[in-house]
Each structure stands twice: as C-alpha cells, then as structure tokens.
Amino acid sequence: MALINENYLKLPGSYLFSEIARRVEAYKTANPEANIIRLGIGDVTKPLPEAVIKSLHNAVDEMADEKTFKGYGPEQGYDFLLKKIIEFDFNPRGVELAIDEIFVSDGSKSDTANFQEIFGLNNKIAITDPVYPVYVDSNVMAGRSGTLGADGKWTDMVYIPCTAENGFVPQIPTEKVDLIYLCFPNNPTGTTISKTELKKWVDYAKVNQAIILYDAAYEAYIQEDDVPHSIYEIAGAKEVAIEFRSFSKNAGFTGTRCSYVVVPKEVMGYTESGEPIEINKLWNRRHCTKFNGVPYIIQKGAEAVYTTAGQQQIKALVEYYMANAKMIREGVASKGIEVFGGINAPYIWLKTPTGMDSWTFFDKLLTEVNIVGTPGVGFGPNGEGYFRLTAFGSKENTEEAIRRFTTEFKI
Amino acid sequence: MALINENYLKLPGSYLFSEIARRVEAYKTANPEANIIRLGIGDVTKPLPEAVIKSLHNAVDEMADEKTFKGYGPEQGYDFLLKKIIEFDFNPRGVELAIDEIFVSDGSKSDTANFQEIFGLNNKIAITDPVYPVYVDSNVMAGRSGTLGADGKWTDMVYIPCTAENGFVPQIPTEKVDLIYLCFPNNPTGTTISKTELKKWVDYAKVNQAIILYDAAYEAYIQEDDVPHSIYEIAGAKEVAIEFRSFSKNAGFTGTRCSYVVVPKEVMGYTESGEPIEINKLWNRRHCTKFNGVPYIIQKGAEAVYTTAGQQQIKALVEYYMANAKMIREGVASKGIEVFGGINAPYIWLKTPTGMDSWTFFDKLLTEVNIVGTPGVGFGPNGEGYFRLTAFGSKENTEEAIRRFTTEFKI
C-alpha cells in the first residue's frame, strides 16, 4: 500500500491568497463597475531590461545553430554567470567567494524550500514572525513542525516576533535553535537589519554551531548606507551562513526564473556524533541529483544584468518601484497611520488603525476605495493588526490608489 | 547544533561519470593526438527546432513590452501549454485528462527525484535493475534505502532484474512493493514493454494499492506499433500510475529545460490508517510550495513543439538520431556481439563479449578505437557485463565510430 507523507495533511490550505481572491471576486461580482487596484502581490510589472532582452535573443540564436547549441550544462550554473555574480555582487563589498560556492537555480522560493532537505529532522527551526510562508511550509512537509496550535504557531518551531514594539529587530531566542531563517530587507515588513544586530546572530550561530539561512532576495532595494547587502559583510558569517539571492526583484525575473544560493565551504553541519560535514558538499549532491540546471538562455539573460547597460537598467527599475514605495509610505503616513518599511524595500507594512484586525482592514480598503492589499496575519500570528502594500504596481495605479486612500478612505 | 541529513553520507560518490571522465582524461594526456568520439552521455547535439526558436524569440519580445510582460505564472504551467499537451500527447491515444492533472516542470530528473517526497518513508520501493540512478539516489537521501550491501544493492529496496535472460521484461517481485519505478523505452537498456506485460504491473498496483511511477521520457523514439507510448493506454492505469514526460529528448530541450508530470485525480495514496488521499492534491501542494513555475519564454518554446511545423521538425530530429541508432546496432551486431535496444529508443545496450566486465570493455573500447561509452554496471548490479552506447552523436561521428568499431576493434 502506497503510504503518503502524512506531514502534508497537517498543512492548512493555502488560505491567504485564495481567501484574498475569493473576497475580491465576491466584491467584483456585486460591484462589476469597480476599478480595483491591486497592491497585494509581490510580483513585478515592468518589462525585462533591454540588455537582458538582447542577451536572451542572442542566446536563442545560439540554440538554433549546431555549432553553438547547448545541451545539458553544469547543474550549478555556467562559469560565465558564476564569475559575474562574484565580481559584481560580492567582491565590491569585500566578500571573496570561489566559483563552486555559488549554485545557480530557478528561484529563491525553490531554494529556500529545498535547502532544509540536507538537514536532519531533529533540528530546532527558528523563524521570524511575520514570515514568508515557504520557510514554514517546507519544514512542515519535511516533518520538523510538530502540530499547529490554536495560536497559529507550530509547536516545534521557534517564533521570533518582529513587530513595532521591538522595532522589527529579531531578538536571540532563549530556547536554543539550530537553523535560523532570516530575510532582510524583510518580506513582508520591508524593514532591514543593522550590521550590529546581524552580527549578534552570526555570533550566536558560531557559538551554538547553528546555521543561518539568509534570504537577501530584496537586496537591490537597499538605499541607505550601512545596511548590509550580504550577510557575508559580517565577520565570521562565511562559517555559519547560507545566502539566497534572486534576479526576480532586481531585474524583473519573476516570470523568467533565475536565482542563486551561496554556500561557503567553511559552513559545517554535524552528524549526531558531532562530526563536522561540509554543507557545500551536501548541497552540491542534492542540487545535482534533484535538479538539472537553469536553461542556458535564461542564464545568458541573467548574465546581461551585469553589463554596464544592465546595471543602469536594473537601477532604473528599482528607482521606479521605490518612487512608488515613497508615495505609498507618505500617503499612508499622512492619514496618521503608523507605517514601516518602504525605505530599503518595495514593501510597506502598516499598523492597522484603531486596533482593527488585518482582515477587517482588508475588507474596508477593498470596499471603500477598491484597493487590494495583504492582511498581515497571513504571514504569521505576529502579523495580526498589520497590513502589507507593495510598490510593484505601475506609477499611475499607485498614484490613483494613494489619491483614493488619502482623500476617500475613512479612518 | 545544525544536524545534517545523515542519509546523504550513505551515498557513494557520483562514481560513474566522474570515473569515466578520469579515465578519458588520463588516456588523452598519454595520447594527446587521439580523436576521441563520445557515445556515452544521453545528451542531444542537434539544435532546437526552427518552430521552437521562432516561438522563443516571440516570447522574448513579449517580455520586453509592459503590455505583454509576464511575471509569476501559474506554478503548474500555462493553460496554453497544458491544453496542447493533452490534445497532442494523450487524446490521440484515447487518453482523456483534465488540465489540472498536468504539472509543467523543469525536467524529468527533477520530477522523478522530487515525486517521492509526498510519500511516507515506510514504503517499499521497487526499481528495475539496471536503472536510471536518480530514482535510487533520491530515495536514499529521503531515507528509504537501508544500507548499501557488498552486492551493490540497498538492503531496503527491491531490485527487479532486466537482463538478456528474461528478455528485459520486469517480473512482478515475490516481495510486496508499494512504489514502483518503471521507465519505458528504458534508459539504459533501450528496450520497451508490451501492453500485455505493462498491464500485469497495473493490475498488481490495483490489487496491492501500489503506485507506478512511469518515466516515459523517451516515448518519442518508439517506432514499432503496439508499444505503449503512455501507461494510460493500459486499462485502469489512471487509478495507479503517475507519468513523467519531457521535451529534452524529442525536441532537444536538455539545455532548455521543460517537462511535465501527469497526476490523474483517481490515483490514491493512503494514510497509515488506510484513508485514501488524492495524490494530485499532495503533488499540487508540493509543486506550489517548492517550485515557482517554468519560465514563460520556455513554455512558449515548448508550445511550438505542438504546431504543424514543430511536429514535423521533432519527427525529423528523432529520425536523425534513430538512423544513428540503427547504424550502431547493426555495426555492433556485425561483430557477433549481442545487442539490445536501439529500435524504439536512442540507447543501444550490448552484452560485452567473452564475459568481459563492463569496465574492462570500456577501457578496451577507449584505448583501441578511442570510443567512449558507458559501463552497464554503473546503472546497477545487473548492468554488469553490459555496455551502453547512445545515438545522440552527429551522423559523421557515429559513422566514424562504427567504422572503427567494425574494422579496428578486436574481440
């Protein structure tokens, strides 16, 4: 009898986005004339940069010619891309990496979901709360979660609150943890972490032989100095941290799919008997056995991000979205609502006014001014009473949404 | 302390292809003038079909324009591709499928490696021997293998010999099994299964509530009538079988990456308490949590395979490689060597002459006539004494290899 992985049965439905869709649909049916503006989903809307388009076309032509056709490539990615990643994303920040410490992949969702596979089941997982749900769900599926309590927390996971009360700075938990998911600039709160605070986590990991899984998918949105772009800017991090990067948000690759993981050779995991094992070797084995590389065409597209033109074009993309972020941030604040994020990230996290819960605010925003956002509670129990807006819409839609919000929305 | 998944330590190194590379390198160093022809790896060499190239270019242009730009798509694949898959690959064979029974993915390697995740650890796994190593390794990593014996077999897995002695027809094992990996046309043996024999497995799975994981990546190479292209041609298979398909070998997508999995809603797995659970729902959850869809551009390329021009062009590609297969098959047979496969598959599986072991034959072929193939023992204990040649080289190289083999190779 084929037995299923019963951990899957513990997962509640993908409640958040399906519930949003259901409520929006119901509203549209009742109000077919409504002009709904979506500031909810973290998807980009601007086309791929010209440099990327040109490189994609060239790569397609290479695939048409027997002399330049590419079949299976190295699972870890082509050297031409690996070299550029190190040269542009790390060397300028004083971080040296070897080419076999980078693994090109098809997205940070896949990477952050898959990485836990190389770890044992009896690790204590720490997540910030609110959090990107994939870190949690992938560990539930693997069997590291325990059961879901009435408080919305999994009994075997350690939740690290990041709220207005603690300035969204994750504090070292009293309980000992082994694998720590951190994401900065943060999804969903849009907040960042200082080097001083991040160093506390690196030091904790070193002392406790823990590993930090650092999601830096929104790194390109950092505007302020002294905010770390990579965890490897922190001394000692190369011994304890894995970093996830993506082309989704800097270069608009959400539908084009390319990302990478940095796995320094110094990072060690341990056997039950305490023997250190290189995480790089384990991940390499996983990556080569369960994945077969990113399309050559797509890797050539990603390479173009690192040309002079490509760098200018992704800078312009980020500036475009960050102008939206500023507009949203200032518009929301002008109503006397507490607002966070939106300075070094495309996400604006607002505290719902008058103690309203996240879903009540969602309904009010939808019905009064036809704006769709994301209820904070969908990202974890400590997201209750918060709400996420994103800067990935068009300038025109964002302007109109903020006009409605500031002039028509009643709080 | 971050504990590793110790199952990974059980895996021997990726011995096969690295050992091949090592021996070829050593030979080249000693014989720098040698003109080595590789008939070893299952990678294609002809460029992508024109129809695919055209569609890829069009899709790249769409990504350059805000009006047609695509961000996140449905994780399961776009409807335009799902519909074509059903219409072209299944309906003509009398197989009806719903659109949400197909999951577009980035390769059959990923799919066949990942699919086991939705099953419990205490399933008995059956594999044919020899076998595509990914089925085995992914189950070892997950913890279903037991230990590796001196006979080259994992203690908890059930090996189903497919050798010349039984005509490469897998026989139902005496021990009860729960998950059964079958691959036809077979990699590495190039042999097929008749509908009558495949029905025995479907019937077994139905009676025993087992599930068949059917890898049909080489389906396009079937030339003979009455060889099943899909397991769903067998009555009842939709209740017990998952099918894996790929664009790698029919359309040359090994470096372009697109595949799909068929998961009929009738297929059930079971909880320990015997409750049936839809495998389709579990896989959908896994797919959406740990994967974010195939690039839009690539899906548009795959769609073009189903145009009139695309269908003609992939037929021509298959004919090209199958002409090589015929040449290899006849050339090998002309030396009095027993040869299998190569009729409905791009793989030729030969019995090494005079009881030579696989690696001895490898060395002899490399040093005497500078041809690289793959030792059969690399695919499992029952591959010992066999050797794989592939038809994916160029016509010219294959001709030259066979010329050398027939006129210069001494047996």
Side-chain angles (χ1 to χ4, degrees):
Chain A
M1 188 162 79
L3 296 171
I4 64 154
N5 175 349
E6 296 198 24
N7 294 312
Y8 276 66
L9 304 183
K10 296 180 180 177
L11 286 165
S14 299
Y15 173 73
L16 180 61
F17 289 103
S18 60
E19 180 60 18
I20 290 174
R22 195 189 65 75
R23 294 192 190 203
V24 172
E25 214 40 58
Y27 182 78
K28 274 170 72 176
T29 306
N31 304 274
E33 79 300 338
N35 172 20
I36 292 172
I37 298 178
R38 293 173 186 274
L39 297 181
I41 295 176
D43 196 3
V44 300
T45 51
K46 303 292 284 181
L48 292 180
E50 268 180 58
V52 171
I53 292 291
K54 199 175 148 200
S55 188
L56 288 168
H57 276 306
N58 288 343
V60 171
D61 285 335
E62 286 185 74
M63 297 298 280
D65 184 337
E66 188 151 0
K67 290 190 289 296
T68 50
F69 173 77
K70 299 287 184 301
Y72 293 124
E75 284 99 340
Q76 301 90 341
Y78 280 98
D79 280 4
F80 64 74
L81 181 56
L82 298 171
K83 283 178 184 165
K84 289 280 164 59
I85 286 170
I86 295 171
E87 182 190 338
F88 280 77
D89 291 347
F90 294 97
N91 290 352
R93 303 199 170 272
V95 179
E96 301 293 325
L97 290 167
I99 216 160
D100 55 356
E101 294 179 310
I102 313 276
F103 296 82
V104 172
S105 178
D106 67 328
S108 284
K109 184 188 188 182
S110 319
D111 290 334
T112 57
N114 291 332
F115 210 86
Q116 49 77 29
E117 293 178 21
I118 63 170
F119 294 107
L121 293 184
N122 43 355
N123 285 293
K124 187 61 85 174
I125 308 294
I127 52 153
T128 57
D129 175 20
V131 73
Y132 177 51
V134 166
Y135 312 154
V136 178
D137 291 356
S138 56
N139 277 293
V140 174
M141 290 169 170
R144 292 188 196 88
S145 65
T147 55
L148 186 59
D151 59 357
K153 296 182 183 178
W154 295 92
T155 49
D156 287 357
M157 299 183 80
V158 174
Y159 288 73
I160 301 168
C162 289
T163 62
E165 283 69 43
N166 63 19
F168 301 93
V169 179
Q171 302 299 312
I172 304 281
T174 47
E175 188 174 358
K176 211 168 146 188
V177 295
D178 307 306
L179 299 176
I180 302 150
Y181 288 86
L182 295 177
C183 171
F184 289 104
N186 188 258
N187 176 16
T189 70
T191 57
T192 55
I193 192 165
S194 69
K195 287 180 184 171
T196 311
E197 288 298 328
L198 191 51
K199 181 150 196 327
K200 291 180 189 170
W201 284 97
V202 169
D203 292 345
Y204 174 86
K206 285 176 74 170
V207 169
N208 294 280
Q209 296 171 300
I211 291 177
I212 299 170
L213 302 168
Y214 193 76
D215 185 347
Y218 296 93
E219 165 277 331
Y221 291 84
I222 295 172
Q223 309 290 312
E224 295 181 318
D225 292 340
D226 206 41
V227 174
H229 287 243
S230 165
I231 193 168
Y232 305 118
E233 294 178 49
I234 310 301
K238 275 176 76 175
E239 294 163 47
V240 293
I242 309 303
E243 184 162 300
F244 303 93
R245 292 282 192 106
S246 171
F247 295 94
S248 283
K249 304 301 162 74
N250 65 344
F253 271 48
T254 54
T256 305
R257 316 301 314 140
C258 196
S259 66
Y260 63 88
V261 191
V262 185
V263 191
K265 287 180 203 150
E266 296 95 316
V267 181
M268 294 291 158
Y270 298 87
T271 62
E272 292 275 359
S273 63
E275 186 196 348
I277 304 285
E278 269 187 37
I279 290 299
N280 181 288
K281 282 190 182 158
L282 295 185
W283 182 246
N284 187 56
R285 188 64 199 246
R286 193 274 170 206
H287 193 78
C288 295
T289 302
K290 298 181 77 175
F291 185 65
N292 221 342
V294 168
Y296 172 74
I297 295 167
I298 304 297
Q299 291 190 59
K300 289 302 283 186
E303 184 192 20
V305 167
Y306 298 108
T307 57
T308 306
Q311 290 285 295
Q312 284 166 354
Q313 290 159 13
I314 65 166
K315 189 162 173 279
L317 270 180
V318 167
E319 282 168 2
Y320 179 93
Y321 294 129
M322 288 309 289
N324 289 345
K326 185 167 188 285
M327 215 186 322
I328 298 171
R329 195 182 146 82
E330 293 177 354
V332 172
S334 76
K335 299 281 280 187
I337 292 175
E338 257 193 299
V339 63
F340 309 96
I343 292 172
N344 297 298
Y347 294 125
I348 291 86
W349 188 245
L350 62 88
K351 187 136 186 52
T352 55
T354 67
M356 216 178 286
D357 71 47
S358 297
W359 280 108
T360 304
F361 188 81
F362 173 90
D363 288 335
K364 192 169 149 65
L365 199 62
L366 173 62
T367 56
E368 281 184 26
V369 288
N370 302 339
I371 297 170
V372 179
T374 313
V377 69
F379 297 100
N382 274 299
E384 181 56 282
Y386 291 90
F387 199 82
R388 191 187 78 171
L389 294 171
T390 87
F392 288 127
S394 69
K395 179 168 180 275
E396 297 69 29
N397 278 347
T398 307
E399 275 173 349
E400 167 59 12
I402 293 307
R403 186 199 62 73
R404 291 184 202 166
F405 187 83
T406 49
T407 62
E408 298 169 15
F409 190 61
K410 294 173 194 63
I411 54 166
Chain B
M1 186 163 78
L3 296 172
I4 63 155
N5 175 348
E6 296 197 25
N7 294 313
Y8 277 66
L9 304 183
K10 296 179 181 178
L11 287 165
S14 299
Y15 173 72
L16 180 62
F17 289 103
S18 60
E19 179 61 17
I20 291 174
R22 194 190 65 75
R23 294 193 190 202
V24 172
E25 215 39 58
Y27 182 78
K28 273 170 71 175
T29 306
N31 305 274
E33 78 299 338
N35 171 20
I36 292 173
I37 298 179
R38 293 172 187 274
L39 297 181
I41 295 176
D43 197 3
V44 300
T45 51
K46 302 292 284 179
L48 292 179
E50 266 181 58
V52 171
I53 291 292
K54 200 176 148 200
S55 188
L56 289 168
H57 276 306
N58 288 343
V60 171
D61 285 334
E62 286 185 73
M63 296 298 279
D65 184 337
E66 188 151 1
K67 289 189 291 297
T68 49
F69 173 78
K70 299 288 184 299
Y72 293 124
E75 285 100 338
Q76 300 89 342
Y78 281 98
D79 280 5
F80 63 74
L81 181 54
L82 299 170
K83 284 177 184 166
K84 290 281 166 57
I85 286 169
I86 295 172
E87 182 189 339
F88 281 76
D89 291 347
F90 294 98
N91 289 352
R93 303 200 169 271
V95 179
E96 301 293 325
L97 290 167
I99 216 161
D100 55 357
E101 295 181 310
I102 312 277
F103 296 82
V104 172
S105 178
D106 67 326
S108 285
K109 184 186 185 183
S110 319
D111 290 333
T112 57
N114 290 332
F115 210 85
Q116 48 76 28
E117 293 178 21
I118 63 170
F119 295 107
L121 293 184
N122 43 355
N123 285 294
K124 186 62 83 172
I125 308 294
I127 53 155
T128 57
D129 175 20
V131 72
Y132 178 50
V134 166
Y135 312 153
V136 179
D137 291 356
S138 56
N139 277 293
V140 174
M141 290 168 170
R144 293 190 195 85
S145 65
T147 54
L148 187 58
D151 59 356
K153 296 182 183 177
W154 295 92
T155 49
D156 288 357
M157 299 182 80
V158 174
Y159 288 73
I160 301 167
C162 289
T163 61
E165 284 69 42
N166 61 19
F168 300 94
V169 179
Q171 301 300 311
I172 305 282
T174 48
E175 188 174 358
K176 211 168 145 187
V177 295
D178 307 305
L179 299 175
I180 302 150
Y181 289 85
L182 295 178
C183 171
F184 290 104
N186 188 257
N187 175 16
T189 69
T191 57
T192 54
I193 192 166
S194 69
K195 288 179 182 170
T196 311
E197 289 297 328
L198 190 52
K199 182 149 195 328
K200 291 181 189 171
W201 284 97
V202 169
D203 291 344
Y204 174 86
K206 286 177 75 169
V207 170
N208 293 281
Q209 296 172 300
I211 291 176
I212 298 170
L213 301 168
Y214 193 77
D215 186 347
Y218 296 93
E219 166 277 332
Y221 291 85
I222 296 173
Q223 309 291 312
E224 296 181 317
D225 293 338
D226 207 42
V227 174
H229 288 243
S230 164
I231 193 169
Y232 306 118
E233 294 178 49
I234 310 300
K238 274 177 76 175
E239 295 164 47
V240 292
I242 309 303
E243 184 163 301
F244 303 94
R245 292 280 192 106
S246 172
F247 296 93
S248 283
K249 304 300 163 74
N250 64 345
F253 270 49
T254 54
T256 304
R257 316 300 316 139
C258 196
S259 67
Y260 64 88
V261 190
V262 185
V263 190
K265 287 181 202 148
E266 296 95 316
V267 181
M268 294 291 158
Y270 298 86
T271 62
E272 292 275 359
S273 62
E275 186 196 348
I277 304 285
E278 269 188 35
I279 290 297
N280 181 288
K281 282 190 182 157
L282 295 184
W283 182 247
N284 187 57
R285 187 63 199 244
R286 193 273 171 206
H287 193 77
C288 294
T289 301
K290 298 181 77 175
F291 185 64
N292 221 341
V294 168
Y296 173 74
I297 296 165
I298 304 297
Q299 292 189 59
K300 289 302 282 186
E303 185 192 20
V305 166
Y306 299 108
T307 58
T308 308
Q311 290 284 296
Q312 285 166 353
Q313 289 158 14
I314 65 167
K315 189 164 173 281
L317 270 179
V318 167
E319 282 168 1
Y320 179 93
Y321 294 129
M322 288 309 288
N324 288 345
K326 185 167 188 285
M327 213 188 321
I328 297 171
R329 196 182 146 82
E330 293 177 354
V332 172
S334 77
K335 299 281 280 191
I337 292 175
E338 257 194 298
V339 63
F340 310 96
I343 292 173
N344 297 297
Y347 295 125
I348 291 87
W349 189 246
L350 62 89
K351 189 138 186 49
T352 55
T354 67
M356 217 177 286
D357 70 47
S358 296
W359 279 109
T360 303
F361 188 81
F362 174 91
D363 288 334
K364 191 168 150 63
L365 199 62
L366 173 63
T367 55
E368 280 184 25
V369 287
N370 302 339
I371 297 170
V372 179
T374 312
V377 70
F379 297 100
N382 274 298
E384 181 58 282
Y386 291 90
F387 199 80
R388 191 187 78 171
L389 294 171
T390 88
F392 288 127
S394 68
K395 179 168 181 275
E396 297 70 27
N397 278 347
T398 306
E399 276 173 349
E400 168 59 12
I402 293 306
R403 188 199 62 72
R404 291 184 202 165
F405 187 82
T406 48
T407 62
E408 298 170 15
F409 190 60
K410 294 172 193 64
I411 55 167

